[in-house]
Amino acid sequence: MHNYLDFEKPISDLEGKIHELKKLASEDESIDTSDEVGRLEIRVRESMADIYSKLNAWQKTQVARHPQRPHFVDYAKALFTEFTPLAGDRKFSEDAAIQAGFARFRGQPIAIIGQEKGNDTKSRLKHNFGSARPEGYRKAIRVLEMADRFGLPVITLVDTAGAYPGVGAEERGQAEAIARSTEMCLGVKVPIISVVIGEGGSGGAIAIATGNRVYMLEHSIYSVISPEGAASILWRDSTRAKEAATNMKITAEDLKGLGIIDGIIPEPLGGAHRDPQMVIAAAGDVIFNALGELSSRSGEQLRGDRRQKFLNIGRNL
């Protein structure tokens, strides 16, 4: 069953009518509803095109968080073969919010790191809703070190509201783990391609998104803090999240204009959850082209370009 967002009510109403007509026709073969269904389907597409052509930042935030949006596990299953996940940071424990390991991408061996939110209550609890603890970032560092040692390109898929802010995580060095993961991304001599597939929240995102090429899906968001968090800090009122989202410039279009990201991956009409296979394939094509572009560069060039890319952010604002 499809989950509708609050601004999708016109679409919900039309698709509800379509469902009723199809059910009526299935129960009584003498009733032909095909013409009316066809007209309603056209109205659905028109309504969806109109609504999604003018989404504001808060509405894009809602789309980025849609429960049926494809997650890391969906991308991993569709894009990679021979995926061998690694577990544990060799210091404290395993963190399921960050998934990392090695695989083949269109025949090429690669390292892969990403955040997994889970898609039902059990898996969301297992993956801590995509919010990693320090051991998750230290696991990412392990994989980055191995990728650098063996000359494997790194693909990272970002989807987190932010690193886990619990007391235990802070006691075990959350900030230090994020900083070292970011430092490791800057230091390796292999290509890093990062794609924000949902939410890119705070240091929890940048820890694995410091890449040579950074892309965002059309309706994903990328920010220094969640809109709710920003509203709570600035105005002590989390209900002003919509206002915060607008002022923070968190959409793909905003960030492309500011030079923060390198490109935007289009989503199907109605968001990635409407056609996951299409958007996953599109992301795969972008990753493949980026890897091809970077393949001729030396390790020193890759590291130097990546460092300069992030040093340049904000210089021309």
Side-chain angles (χ1 to χ4, degrees):
M1 183 176 179
H2 188 75
N3 289 305
Y4 293 96
L5 301 170
D6 57 6
F7 62 84
E8 293 183 312
K9 190 175 187 310
I11 300 169
S12 171
D13 292 343
L14 290 169
E15 290 191 331
K17 291 177 183 178
I18 291 172
H19 177 73
E20 290 174 2
L21 288 171
K22 288 183 175 179
K23 183 179 179 181
L24 183 63
S26 66
E27 293 173 349
D28 187 345
E29 295 182 359
S30 65
I31 300 176
D32 182 8
T33 62
S34 57
D35 290 343
E36 182 61 21
V37 167
R39 284 192 290 271
L40 288 173
E41 287 176 341
I42 292 172
R43 288 179 60 191
V44 166
R45 289 193 292 272
E46 291 173 345
S47 179
M48 199 178 298
D50 179 59
I51 290 171
Y52 274 80
S53 67
K54 50 189 179 185
L55 293 182
N56 59 41
W58 179 242
Q59 289 169 334
K60 282 184 176 278
T61 300
Q62 292 176 278
V63 178
R65 295 171 174 173
H66 196 286
Q68 294 173 317
R69 193 173 179 85
H71 293 164
F72 172 87
V73 293
D74 303 303
Y75 285 82
K77 183 177 179 180
L79 294 180
F80 309 116
T81 58
E82 301 178 37
F83 178 40
T84 304
L86 299 185
D89 64 347
R90 300 300 186 265
K91 290 179 174 67
F92 183 74
S93 71
E94 160 66 348
D95 181 85
I98 285 189
Q99 299 291 294
F102 300 93
R104 289 186 181 275
F105 172 63
R106 300 188 179 180
Q108 180 179 7
I110 53 97
I112 179 171
I113 304 170
Q115 283 124 348
E116 171 57 38
K117 287 183 171 181
N119 53 24
D120 55 28
T121 301
K122 183 178 179 180
S123 61
R124 284 169 189 153
L125 290 172
K126 174 185 175 182
H127 296 288
N128 201 34
F129 299 86
S131 294
R133 297 175 171 86
E135 41 274 21
Y137 295 107
R138 291 178 179 132
K139 176 171 63 174
I141 292 170
R142 279 184 61 212
V143 173
L144 287 163
E145 287 176 337
M146 294 176 69
D148 194 36
R149 187 182 311 152
F150 295 108
L152 300 177
V154 180
I155 297 171
T156 70
L157 301 176
V158 181
D159 189 13
T160 181
Y164 184 62
V167 173
E170 297 297 340
E171 289 176 340
R172 296 193 299 278
Q174 183 74 286
E176 181 267 350
I178 289 172
R180 287 194 180 277
S181 182
T182 307
E183 179 186 38
M184 181 59 65
C185 285
L186 287 170
V188 298
K189 296 181 180 180
V190 294
I192 300 180
I193 311 298
S194 301
V195 182
V196 181
I197 60 174
E199 288 185 271
S202 190
I206 196 67
I208 64 169
T210 312
N212 294 89
R213 296 289 183 271
V214 181
Y215 301 98
M216 290 177 66
L217 296 191
E218 182 182 357
H219 301 311
S220 60
I221 60 170
Y222 194 15
S223 61
V224 69
I225 190 173
S226 70
E228 295 89 342
S232 295
I233 292 172
L234 294 174
W235 303 299
R236 299 184 183 277
D237 184 1
S238 61
T239 62
R240 296 177 68 177
K242 180 178 179 180
E243 184 179 348
T246 301
N247 293 325
M248 287 166 62
K249 306 296 183 185
I250 64 177
T251 68
E253 292 81 2
D254 290 331
L255 295 170
K256 180 66 167 64
L258 293 170
I260 307 296
I261 64 170
D262 299 288
I264 300 172
I265 301 172
E267 295 189 27
L269 185 61
H273 54 281
R274 288 275 177 173
D275 192 345
Q277 290 75 23
M278 175 183 169
V279 76
I280 291 173
D285 290 340
V286 168
I287 293 169
F288 182 76
N289 291 335
L291 287 175
E293 178 189 346
L294 296 171
S295 62
S296 61
R297 302 189 185 184
S298 69
E300 288 296 339
Q301 284 178 313
L302 290 166
R303 181 167 66 176
D305 290 350
R306 192 184 310 120
R307 287 173 175 265
Q308 197 59 48
K309 169 187 175 66
F310 284 87
L311 288 171
N312 287 339
I313 289 176
R315 286 187 174 178
N316 298 321
L317 299 180

